Amino acid sequence: MTAKTRKLISSALRAAMLWPHTWAGVTLGGLLMLIFFMGSLAVFASEIDRWMMPATRVGTVETVPVSLDHAVLPAVEKLAAGRTVRDWYVQLPDERRPVMALQLRTETGNAGGMATGDGQLLPPVGTLGATYFFYPLHYSLHLRAGFIGYWIVCFASVAMLAGLISGVIIHARIFKDFFTFRSWGQVRRSLLDLHNLAGVLVLPFHLMITITGIVIVLPIVLPAGVQALYGGDVRRFYDDALGNYSRPRSGIAAPLAPLDPMVAEARRLWGGGEPAVVFVYNAGDAASVVRINRALRDRISLDVQPVFFDGVTGQVLKYQRPGPVVATHRVLSGLHFAAFDHWPLRWLYFLFGLSGCVLIGTGMLYWMEKRRVAHGVKPGAGWRSVAAIACGSTSGLLIATLAMMAANRLLPAGIPSRELVEVGLFFVIWIGSAVHAAVSTRTDPPWSEQCTAVALLAAACVVLNWITTGEHPIRAVAAADWAVLGVDAVLALTAAAAWRVSRRLARRRDPELSTLAEVTDHA
Amino acid sequence: MPDALMLPGLFGLCYFAFAALALSVERHWRDLVESRRGPPRRTVFRLRLAALLCLAAALSVAVRHDGTGFGLLLWVLALSAAALAVAATVTWKTRSARGRAS
């Protein structure tokens, strides 16, 4: 480091940056761990869905485009089962989800289901899967009322951003230690090395993902503009900004025009590209509106280029290209969503998301090890609560996730509200493992016990998938079912890694007590 | 360039670039090459130049294959992945070198 930069970042500035860095990490570390872990899972949400919904593993999708009039409409009729449908939408099959997903809003409630490309309804999947459970947990914590969850996640993200920047300022020897990971010697030093590596080397990704994550929810968490210009009506704001269109029901019945010509017209307007989602609002009404979204496979931007048709005449009602600000916002959002078809990028997003977990986890562990030096062998209540949070948010979260996946394979298909039982199990087991961590923390949280549980659960998931669906690795390879094979492979890797860690930890009882005494003597 | 070679080529170039940069750091040079003295200044310059060229080549491979948007994104993320791989290599090599010495 040159003399100039040394002057730029004085030791006083470093000291001033250290306490917010520490406090943000210690207080919000558990929450950030949840956000990063669920975000990493969300990258492969479709693949985890296939694993959790065996009925939807119907092989690769046929190349013939799905006919909305001949395949989708009858499926909608069947799902409605005689009730009057008000709105519905269908997500058309694609490479990663070979079935279509339907959602209906009828006069008496909502209905949803999956169907194959030719309109055959599949039995209810009985699970929320990754798309409707892990992924919303990532951005809203499932606290949708008043956008509370969005606010909490956004607050944590801003803290993450502050942590990243203050971390770079605190780090005294960024370039000298750029590649340094001393895995030998003191645990404390190894942890700090790992923390620095995960922070500095993956910094571009962490900065990008944190900033874009905040940018996505800006209209919600900075509502001043929407408040002033639209009287707080977020929907009217999105109508204008994203080129959406909506109109109230007229109350006059009218039949729906054929949908396939509308898709053809949308294709022509896009100049290439595939339809991904088709919405029908005010179905069966003279004021019905059909919206067709473009697939995002071939672009970074999250601009779905919605085309709006009059449902009765089939005429284009609105097709508005976004202005420069909205287009920028869409590109930034797209960088975060990674909805594009690019497997190397998808894997990098997954791995770097997990490296964010490593960053947060090693940060908390380093704090714990350092505090141990300050407080001696008898830790106080603060230390023990951070230890319990660290354990509950790392191994505990893994246990809960894996337990939910195992329950997904074990629960019989017929039980009522099966998906809610799964979700309930996730939270009960998560809370249980956090309580276990809090109760049994003496000189260390129960790492080795929980790692053993992770290993056993992950292995159980692989075996259960094999037993309950008959899809063992060799058959998956033969059927080219890479989604299920990939999930199984990652589960098996998790099991092997967690087992090794738990064995090593079990051998290393009362870890740092010898070096601890040494350091406290100096202090 | 054939499709199959694009990814290994991209990651390989980034890996070489960071390996060269790692060797230009005095600590790693002492651990891995010569324990008595740090890298000579000329060597440091050459290593950094090689790293720069490798990085530029990697960028051109990525952009040419995937277009500007995806190419840039892939390049930036590949940099992180390669740097992590180099750090792992340095740790592994240093560890085994120390094991021999002691």
Side-chain angles (χ1 to χ4, degrees):
Chain A
M1 202 177 276
T2 61
K4 203 177 158 204
T5 47
R6 193 165 288 151
K7 227 178 280 164
L8 189 70
I9 301 176
S10 65
S11 54
L13 178 64
R14 254 185 213 126
M17 285 292 147
L18 189 58
W19 77 263
H21 186 88
T22 311
W23 271 98
V26 166
T27 51
L28 293 171
L31 178 61
L32 284 168
M33 185 71 98
L34 172 73
I35 297 170
F36 267 78
F37 182 66
M38 287 304 163
S40 310
L41 290 190
V43 173
F44 286 118
S46 278
E47 284 67 29
I48 299 173
D49 276 355
R50 294 295 75 70
W51 194 94
M52 293 177 86
M53 306 171 181
T56 65
R57 303 176 193 169
V58 294
T60 44
V61 61
E62 58 271 38
T63 44
V64 188
V66 175
S67 160
L68 285 158
D69 294 317
H70 298 121
V72 177
L73 279 179
V76 172
E77 293 290 312
K78 260 183 266 170
L79 266 180
R83 292 170 293 181
T84 314
V85 182
R86 298 184 82 86
D87 314 290
W88 60 269
Y89 73 84
V90 57
Q91 291 168 284
L92 297 170
D94 60 30
E95 207 177 83
R96 297 172 66 203
R97 192 194 52 244
V99 293
M100 50 192 188
L102 295 147
Q103 280 292 329
L104 278 67
R105 203 159 67 81
T106 68
E107 45 185 2
T108 54
N110 297 340
M114 302 267 193
T116 55
D118 50 5
Q120 292 281 314
L121 272 186
L122 297 168
V125 287
T127 178
L128 295 178
T131 310
Y132 295 107
F133 184 68
F134 295 150
Y135 171 47
L137 202 54
H138 162 66
Y139 63 84
S140 74
L141 312 174
H142 285 287
L143 301 172
R144 286 173 176 279
F147 296 118
I148 293 175
Y150 293 79
W151 279 89
I152 297 173
V153 170
C154 192
F155 177 71
S157 310
V158 173
M160 179 80 197
L161 197 55
L164 286 171
I165 294 169
S166 58
V168 170
I169 295 173
I170 297 163
H171 195 356
R173 297 182 311 269
I174 284 196
F175 294 106
K176 273 191 185 149
D177 282 352
F178 203 76
F179 300 103
T180 305
F181 172 42
R182 288 158 292 192
S183 63
W184 52 88
Q186 279 188 345
V187 177
R188 243 190 349 268
R189 194 182 64 178
S190 303
L191 282 173
L192 189 58
D193 277 349
L194 203 54
H195 185 65
N196 289 339
L197 271 191
V200 172
L201 296 188
V202 198
L203 188 66
F205 176 80
H206 291 323
L207 279 177
M208 180 276 280
I209 213 75
T210 313
I211 291 172
T212 52
I214 297 168
V215 163
I216 291 170
V217 292
L218 267 190
I220 293 170
V221 295
L222 283 181
V226 182
Q227 202 65 254
L229 293 170
Y230 295 89
D233 189 349
V234 180
R235 196 163 89 151
R236 271 208 302 138
F237 164 73
Y238 277 121
D239 277 5
D240 263 8
L242 303 180
N244 290 355
Y245 181 90
S246 54
R247 61 184 181 190
R249 286 182 86 85
S250 68
I252 307 160
L256 186 66
L259 292 169
D260 288 331
M262 297 186 205
V263 171
E265 172 65 11
R267 275 218 179 89
R268 194 190 62 78
L269 284 172
W270 294 326
E274 291 297 311
V277 194
V278 178
F279 301 78
V280 176
Y281 304 108
N282 307 334
D285 190 272
S288 71
V289 175
V290 177
R291 165 187 179 156
I292 301 176
N293 283 1
R294 185 187 188 280
L296 296 165
R297 270 169 236 171
D298 54 345
R299 53 173 60 178
I300 291 178
S301 170
L302 207 63
D303 179 15
V304 293
Q305 296 186 285
V307 187
F308 290 85
F309 295 91
D310 188 307
V312 178
T313 62
Q315 295 301 308
V316 175
L317 286 173
K318 189 172 184 183
Y319 175 56
Q320 177 192 313
R321 305 297 302 124
V325 174
V326 174
T328 311
H329 181 265
R330 294 284 92 188
V331 170
L332 290 177
S333 311
L335 271 176
H336 190 97
F337 271 78
F340 35 75
D341 255 355
H342 198 303
W343 288 102
L345 278 178
R346 201 166 278 144
W347 275 102
L348 286 172
Y349 268 63
F350 176 69
L351 292 176
F352 289 165
L354 292 182
S355 86
C357 295
V358 172
L359 173 66
I360 300 159
T362 49
M364 288 198 284
L365 285 175
Y366 176 70
W367 183 89
M368 282 160 58
E369 292 295 329
K370 213 171 157 191
R371 264 325 106 103
R372 215 206 288 268
V373 176
H375 294 307
V377 192
K378 267 255 178 285
W383 189 90
R384 284 182 57 168
S385 41
V386 173
I389 292 174
C391 187
S393 65
T394 48
S395 53
L397 184 60
L398 266 172
I399 290 174
T401 309
L402 292 167
M404 181 177 167
M405 291 174 78
N408 169 274
R409 295 287 82 245
L410 277 177
L411 291 172
I415 62 171
S417 311
R418 187 176 182 278
E419 58 269 25
L420 295 183
V421 176
E422 270 182 32
V423 170
L425 267 173
F426 173 88
F427 284 114
V428 166
I429 288 175
W430 192 17
I431 293 168
S433 57
V435 169
H436 170 239
V439 170
S440 54
T441 297
R442 298 271 177 273
T443 52
D444 242 340
W447 292 117
S448 109
E449 289 91 331
Q450 297 217 348
C451 280
T452 313
V454 169
L456 293 179
L457 276 168
C461 282
V462 178
V463 175
L464 283 171
N465 177 46
W466 183 352
I467 294 172
T468 55
T469 67
E471 185 141 16
H472 50 82
I474 299 162
R475 217 185 92 185
V477 170
D481 198 347
W482 305 120
V484 173
L485 192 66
V487 175
D488 270 348
V490 172
L491 283 171
L493 266 177
T494 311
W499 183 256
R500 262 197 80 180
V501 170
S502 83
R503 288 305 92 200
R504 270 190 82 160
L505 286 175
R507 256 182 277 139
R508 191 192 61 130
R509 276 288 133 207
D510 292 338
E512 285 292 276
L513 287 187
S514 50
T515 54
L516 179 68
E518 222 170 88
V519 183
T520 17
D521 286 347
H522 290 296
Chain B
M1 181 182 289
D3 270 11
L5 284 180
M6 195 283 286
L7 274 183
L10 172 64
F11 283 103
L13 282 169
C14 291
Y15 182 85
F16 282 131
F18 279 113
L21 285 180
L23 281 182
S24 74
V25 177
E26 184 173 338
R27 176 192 287 160
H28 303 313
W29 178 275
R30 278 175 187 270
D31 279 343
L32 300 174
V33 186
E34 263 178 304
S35 53
R36 272 166 296 127
R37 61 192 181 106
R41 284 181 65 182
R42 275 176 69 94
T43 315
V44 169
F45 173 75
R46 283 180 188 159
L47 283 170
R48 287 190 180 150
L49 187 67
L52 200 66
L53 291 176
C54 280
L55 290 181
L59 178 62
S60 100
V61 167
V63 168
R64 196 174 289 197
H65 188 269
D66 279 2
T68 318
F70 283 113
L72 267 176
L73 185 57
L74 186 59
W75 181 69
V76 170
L77 297 191
L79 289 184
S80 294
L84 284 175
V86 168
T89 316
V90 168
T91 299
W92 171 55
K93 281 281 169 195
T94 309
R95 207 184 169 134
S96 56
R98 290 194 173 211
R100 262 206 316 277
S102 59

